[in-house]
Amino acid sequence: MNSEQANPADADISRQSRHRESRQDAPIFPRFHWESLAPFLLLAVLLLFLMSGFFLLFYDLSDLEGSFSQFLLLSSTGSLTLSLLLGFFFARRRSAALHQITFFVQRFLQGETGNSTLIHRTDEMGDLANALNRMTADVQEKIETLSSDKAKSIAILSGMVEGVMVLDGKGEVVLTNAPFEKMFGFSPTDLSGRYYYERLRHHTLNELIKEVIHTGRSLSKTIELEGPPPQYFQVQASVAMFPPHRFVALVFHDITENKRQDQIQKDFVANVSHELRTPISVIKGYIETLSEGRVEDQAQAKTFLDIIEKNSTRLENIVLDLLQLSRIESGLDPVRPGQVSLLDGVQKNINLLTSLVRKKNLRLTVTVPPTLQIWVDPEKLDQVLTNILDNAIKYTPEQGEVKIHALEEESDIRITIEDNGIGIPRKEHARIFERFYRVDRTRSRELGGTGLGLAIVRQVVEAHGGKVRVQSEIGKGSKFILKFPKHSSIEGVNRN
């Protein structure tokens, strides 16, 4: 319909072409209906009687007995022949029109709605053909409108992030979209024409649907799909009335990430409270002991003061890391990239940790091309390398090995820091970059960690438009893989 509106001439040519094809498909000699000749045969007999009566009225039969017989024979034959010829002509013309209309209707029933009958007559056949043409145009317009509406609905449903399922009043599935099918692991054919309780094996969801169908009230409920990992959905069920039909529409909002963030926030509050309370309690206890004068031995007093200093330093580090993490997340400490020699950056941070490396007699291997340049914020690169190298050294046993490897890929600079230390359980990989999350809390505190180092690493790398991940197994060490975009990608991130 849109193309016809845009160019009527082309549309008319197209329709005429289809009409010619339709006429070519029809037989050249349509089936002839001999009963159509009955009126003309009756006319021939009537003409014959009229001519015979005329002849009997005006001529002397006694003299023209032979001539009358001849005339009667000739006139009868001529009238019959003329009537047959006229009858054949008109009957064939009418039969052809009927056949074309019949052929048109048959093609219309087969779904070919773009054709029309090319009958240009002023009799009832013409009226019938015009009526059929108008009907075809109306049906074609309605079909195109329905097709357009259906395409729009499909596009809207497919583009939605939320899952959608529509049921009729009896609970039979009428419609689902791709996100819903992905949520529950169905294919489009698994649900169509089936009742919801035949395929959905979720008691809470089924009870919600059942209540909405029976009461006709809109309801909302949070459901959980068992994992791993578990998924959470906020389901909004409402009733739509299209008399005499009634439908139930269910919209599934994925709130898994919201739940995860809520849990992280709760864990963070609990962890930060614990992390701050522990050194504060230690400091407070030793200060009370010293202030009450119960320590007479100077050596013991010095020990107490050292413990207070150690916990004060730990408390300070926690606060500083929290402030640093908060500034990065809030954008108050933006990335200020510059071109840096990666090898120089690595060597600088290794020099800061040399005493720890020597103390544990570790082998440190650096494989970084001298010419490799990376476009990063130098200070933030130091934070990343220091945190990961410090962890690698702390959690690697004596005479172990730490490797630093870097290479240039098609669109990224890849940095790998690998150790053969104690390793990290696979189930902990997804959480080690969370704030205050520790695999071994006691060991981490003994080694002086704040529990925020890897959280800072992730925030810094992501602020550069990069990614960080870990590969590790218990007893086989850990491998941290950092990917920083090249110069052009970082420029694009900063401009945005």
Side-chain angles (χ1 to χ4, degrees), residues 198-211:
E198 294 179 340
R199 298 295 295 170
L200 294 176
R201 308 299 184 187
H202 195 286
H203 177 72
T204 304
L205 177 58
N206 288 351
E207 288 297 314
L208 172 66
I209 297 173
K210 183 178 179 181
E211 184 175 353

Side-chain angles (χ1 to χ4, degrees), residues 61-84:
L61 296 179
S62 59
D63 295 334
L64 300 173
E65 184 176 349
S67 299
F68 174 72
S69 299
Q70 294 176 2
F71 174 77
L72 185 61
L73 178 62
L74 291 173
S75 62
S76 300
T77 303
S79 299
L80 181 62
T81 302
L82 179 61
S83 299
L84 287 172

